[in-house]
């Protein structure tokens, strides 16, 4: 229950956009279907959209372990998001320091696995180049045990110009009819094979997955109770006999 509450709070900080767009079809660890290039302009031109954060995800192999290299518009994340960093780390200062710089933030699982902390330097492959990045901070993350290394989108495109986005988050103007904009985005992008999901749907799906994952703990508890009751009944029966 404690872990579930922690995940629910993390979802509240992680899923701040009103609508999320991704390529249709199944995605898995290490497989990130790209969005069509025309989608970016269509999303930015959507009436009611206040900001659009395009996210790029790429597989990363670091020190013999698999992870994900991600890049987004960190100025949009700073203005609209609530990314939570470890105690003592200034969120706004960290995110500002990443914009167009060779700096990154590491997810907590990635930092723990590779014994990293703020100020450390890591060298990773980005395209054909080996790039040295400074770890600006460590943030809380529960979506992947492999971990994330996040850059500003401008930094990634400096080394990989033309790299397609894999997801997009749309922040709407206050008071805008979300359902109307959802239908508008779905119509605009219908020809490009994408799925558009409202914030509430993603949160509900994430909690359902969490509950299914921990369903085995309820089964184990039920088995333990039944075994205990049978043991007590057998003991009482033996005393009666």
């Amino acid at each position: 229950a404690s872990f579930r509450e922690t995940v629910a709070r993390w979802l509240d900080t992680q899923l701040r956009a009103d609508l999320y767009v991704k390529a249709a079809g199944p995605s898995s660890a290490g497989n990130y279907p790209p969005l069509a290039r025309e989608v970016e302009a269509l999303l930015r031109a959507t009436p009611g959209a206040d900001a659009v954060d395009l996210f790029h995800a790429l597989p990363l192999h670091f020190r013999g372990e698999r992870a994900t290299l991600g890049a987004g518009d960190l100025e949009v994340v700073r203005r609209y998001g609530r990314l939570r960093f470890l105690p003592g780390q200034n969120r706004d200062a960290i995110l500002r320091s990443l914009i167009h710089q060779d700096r990154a933030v590491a997810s907590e699982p990635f930092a723990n696995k590779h014994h990293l902390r703020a100020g450390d330097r890591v060298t990773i492959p980005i395209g054909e180049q080996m790039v040295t990045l400074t770890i600006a901070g460590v943030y809380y993350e529960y979506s992947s045990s492999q971990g994330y290394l996040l850059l500003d989108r401008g930094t990634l495109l400096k080394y990989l110009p033309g790299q397609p986005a894999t997801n997009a988050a749309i922040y709407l103007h206050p008071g805008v009819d979300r359902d109307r904009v959802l239908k508008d985005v779905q119509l605009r992008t219908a020809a490009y094979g994408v799925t558009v999901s409202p914030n509430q749907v993603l949160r509900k799906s994430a909690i359902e997955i969490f509950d299914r994952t921990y369903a085995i703990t309820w089964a184990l508890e039920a088995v333990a109770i039944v075994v205990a009751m049978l043991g007590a009944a057998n003991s009482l029966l033996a005393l009666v006999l």
Side-chain angles (χ1 to χ4, degrees), residues 107-191:
S107 68
E108 188 182 22
F110 186 88
N112 289 341
K113 184 179 294 185
H114 300 291
H115 308 290
L116 298 174
R117 58 183 180 180
D120 290 346
R121 295 167 66 85
V122 296
T123 300
I124 64 169
I126 302 181
E128 301 297 323
Q129 304 182 59
M130 297 299 294
V131 180
T132 299
L133 304 170
T134 300
I135 303 298
V138 178
Y139 70 98
Y140 292 107
E141 168 68 42
Y142 297 100
S143 66
S144 169
S145 61
Q146 297 175 346
Y148 282 87
L149 197 61
L150 295 185
L151 315 171
D152 180 60
R153 184 168 180 252
T155 304
L156 179 72
L157 295 180
K158 178 173 65 174
Y159 296 106
L160 287 176
Q163 179 68 25
T166 55
N167 305 80
I170 305 174
Y171 297 85
L172 303 181
H173 289 290
V176 170
D177 186 342
R178 184 180 300 176
D179 292 335
R180 179 185 62 78
V181 178
L182 171 62
K183 293 178 181 178
D184 188 16
V185 172
Q186 289 173 332
L187 288 173
R188 286 169 175 265
T189 59

Side-chain angles (χ1 to χ4, degrees), residues 22-90:
K22 74 177 188 69
S27 59
S28 59
N31 177 33
Y32 310 103
L35 294 172
R37 298 188 184 279
E38 296 83 357
V39 171
E40 176 181 356
L42 292 173
L43 296 181
R44 295 192 186 280
T46 301
D50 191 25
V52 176
D53 175 21
L54 292 173
F55 187 78
H56 306 254
L58 300 86
L60 172 66
H61 293 273
F62 182 72
R63 296 178 182 173
E65 299 278 353
R66 294 175 58 187
T68 299
L69 177 65
D73 189 335
L74 296 185
E75 177 58 24
V76 173
V77 174
R78 187 190 68 80
R79 288 164 51 204
Y80 295 91
R82 292 183 182 176
L83 201 63
R84 291 180 60 233
F85 286 85
L86 299 188
Q89 300 183 15
N90 187 303

